[in-house]
Structures are given as structure tokens and as C-alpha cells.
Amino acid sequence: MSQNARAVGDGSLAPETAAKAASARDALGERDGVLVAFSGGVDSAVVAALSADALGDDAVACTARSETLPAAELADAERVADEIGIRHETVTFSELDDPNFVANDGDRCYHCRTMRLGRMYETARDLGIDTVCDGTNADDPGEGHRPGLRAVEELDVFSPLLDAEISKDEVRAIADAYGLSVADKPSMACLSSRIPTGLEVTEERLTRVEKAERVLREWGFEGFRVRDHDGLARVEIAPDELERALDPAFADAVHEHLTDLGFEYVTLDMAGYRTGSVSPGGDEEGSDDAADDRESSGTSDDGVDLGRQYPR
């Protein structure tokens, strides 16, 4: 049976989406091997699944570990790679070594992606692989200011979803056809996107944002961000969850927890959660999508006392 005739996933895809997915898989299959820049989110997970489908053991997923990647997302990436059945590698680097990234200008994501993909190419060469892939989909170029895409173009990264004109909705459908648990996971940009343009990215700021968002996740919120405005925490909650956040008990609890983490002031943004709000006209770009679905109780390994529950 030809590659085109073989169904993608469980064969449930709509004909047009199935044809696009098969085209992307065929293009991957023409390579001797590929290394997928893998966040564990739905876009990179679909590229990894298509790559494993096309190339078997000649496909590798690789996740870059740095201060901007929450520990929960790394754990999720490891789990999703195992779910797909693809070899998973990690590389470690620090965006904070680059003064251009730390300065946090309008091209922060360009500097980050350049460093991240550069490490992917180094790993690929060590493994004898010529092609590095990413999860850019057909909707991404039209979503406003995306300087990270410039790095993808400059480094000649292969974007099979973009080349096959696969939209975000189609990516999720393909993930569902493969039975991937991340098919419906919301996007999760890297932690540096919580810091306004022009305010330096520091390990201290990244750490307290990660811990603050973990608290909200443990309390059951799904759509949210904690923005760090130089010590002022601006908490955004999705509109359909905002009513819970208007409870005075939440106000008391979130203020207590976030000031314990080092924030001087804690505010609730009444406009609710929306991407890109940290810097007017800016972007929210980074790790393509992941979420922490782990459960825990008591005191976490990052020092957050989750035993103090909300509502109390």
C-alpha cells in the first residue's frame, strides 16, 4: 500500500485534512532522519507523531531546557514523547546568557528562538541528522508580531505543518486522530512572555511567575496568566472563570500566596486573560503549547505551600 493510501492516525480525519496530514508525513518520510523541536504541545506533538509514523526510529524529539520553560512543561513533554513512542532528547542552555534576550526588546523571541534552534542543530549533528523540524502551522504567520518566525526562516528549519497548509484547528484534529492527550490543551507561551517589553528578564522574575501560575493551576484555573510588572503581579483570569476570582476569599488567598513569593503588590485585571497583553502591540510567543495537568498536594518541591487551599 502506498504512503498516500495509508490513513493518518485512526482514519477519522475529514478528507481535506487527511490529505494535508498525509502530505506532511510524506515530506517527512523523504528525509533520512529528522529532529523535532519538541515542547510537548499540540503543534510539535503532531509533527513528532507524523515523523515517527513516517520514519520510525530515525525520528527524534528534542526539548530545550532553560529558565523560561516551567518544570511542569518539561515533565509533560517527556510524557507526550512516551505517548507518541518517539525517542526523546533534552538539551540545556540559558537564554539569560544572551544580553539581547535579557534586555527584552521587541525581538526577544527572535533571540530566544535563535539560541534554542541553534542547540537543536548541534544535537542533530551529533546524532547524524540533517533536518530540524518545528511546529509552525499555517495560522502562525498571520498572528501579528512573531519575531521568532524570522529565526525559523534564517536557520532553514523545516516546518511541515506550514508547508502542508495545516491550520491550528486541523492540527488539533490530527492530534485527536493519533489519540494524543494534548489535542485540546491550551497554548502556553514561555515564561518570559509574562514580563513587559523593556523590563529585564531575570531568573528571579521567571521563578516567581512560574510559582505563582502553579498556585492558580493547583486551584483549578485553566485560562490565566500572572504578569510581572517589576514586582506588581497582574493576574489575568479567563472570562468564563472570572466570577470565581471575584470571590473575596480568592482575593485574600492570592494576595497571601503571591506576596509570599516575592511580589510587592497583587492586582486582578478586570479585562480578563488575553494573549499579548503584557506589552501593548507586543506578542506572546514561545513554547507552542503545553499545560501542567499533574496533581499534587501539600508543600511542593519549589517551596510553594499548597496546603493553604483556596477557598479557605
Side-chain angles (χ1 to χ4, degrees):
M1 182 179 293
S2 70
Q3 181 82 350
N4 282 330
R6 181 162 59 88
V8 172
D10 63 4
S12 63
L13 290 169
E16 182 178 358
T17 302
K20 292 180 180 181
S23 175
R25 185 181 60 190
D26 288 351
L28 288 160
E30 292 172 358
R31 312 280 171 145
D32 292 332
V34 299
L35 182 141
V36 181
F38 186 73
S39 71
V42 65
D43 296 313
S44 59
V46 164
V47 174
L50 290 168
S51 299
D53 200 352
L55 293 166
D57 293 341
D58 291 324
V60 177
C62 186
T63 302
R65 308 175 60 166
S66 71
E67 296 91 343
T68 66
L69 179 72
E73 291 190 40
L74 176 59
D76 215 40
E78 292 169 344
R79 179 187 61 79
V80 175
D82 184 64
E83 191 176 277
I84 293 168
I86 191 171
R87 176 180 173 182
H88 186 229
E89 299 286 339
T90 62
V91 295
T92 301
F93 76 110
S94 176
E95 290 105 335
L96 301 181
D97 290 339
D98 182 355
N100 293 315
F101 175 85
V102 171
N104 195 16
D105 62 13
D107 282 337
R108 181 197 69 236
C109 290
Y110 168 77
H111 302 304
C112 171
R113 194 70 66 89
T114 298
M115 295 177 68
R116 190 176 299 266
L117 290 172
R119 293 305 306 273
M120 296 293 168
Y121 271 106
E122 291 175 9
T123 303
R125 285 193 291 270
D126 290 343
L127 296 174
I129 295 173
D130 294 328
T131 301
V132 172
C133 302
D134 82 330
T136 303
N137 65 62
D139 288 340
D140 287 334
E143 290 188 347
H145 182 56
R146 299 295 297 271
L149 296 183
R150 178 156 52 96
V152 171
E153 294 172 359
E154 289 178 357
L155 292 171
D156 197 26
V157 175
F158 177 39
S159 302
L161 304 178
L162 178 62
D163 285 2
E165 300 182 351
I166 297 174
S167 70
K168 186 71 173 189
D169 286 344
E170 289 175 317
V171 169
R172 294 193 182 281
I174 295 167
D176 190 58
Y178 273 116
L180 301 182
S181 61
V182 293
D184 296 321
K185 288 288 183 70
S187 296
M188 179 66 74
C190 80
L191 291 172
S192 61
S193 69
R194 287 28 162 209
I195 301 172
T197 300
L199 184 63
E200 283 193 354
V201 179
T202 66
E203 187 170 4
E204 177 187 10
R205 288 172 179 144
L206 294 171
T207 299
R208 68 189 177 198
V209 164
E210 178 180 5
K211 290 180 178 180
E213 293 194 347
R214 181 160 187 251
V215 168
L216 293 177
R217 189 172 297 113
E218 292 293 337
W219 286 344
F221 290 96
E222 296 183 1
F224 59 84
R225 290 288 189 269
V226 177
R227 313 291 190 182
D228 190 334
H229 293 264
D230 198 17
L232 183 151
R234 178 164 60 88
V235 180
E236 297 179 357
I237 303 292
D240 60 348
E241 299 180 278
L242 191 56
E243 184 175 356
R244 287 185 60 210
L246 296 176
D247 183 339
F250 173 81
D252 288 343
V254 76
H255 179 269
E256 179 182 353
H257 281 73
L258 269 58
T259 54
D260 282 353
L261 295 176
F263 288 100
E264 297 178 52
Y265 304 99
V266 181
T267 65
L268 177 65
D269 190 328
M270 304 307 290
Y273 165 57
R274 65 271 189 211
T275 60
S277 70
V278 70
S279 301
D283 66 307
E284 180 165 309
E285 182 177 1
S287 172
D288 64 350
D289 30 41
D292 179 9
D293 59 355
R294 298 180 300 169
E295 297 181 357
S296 64
S297 59
T299 301
S300 69
D301 56 7
D302 61 14
V304 180
D305 183 2
L306 296 173
R308 295 176 296 171
Q309 295 297 310
Y310 158 74
R312 294 174 297 171

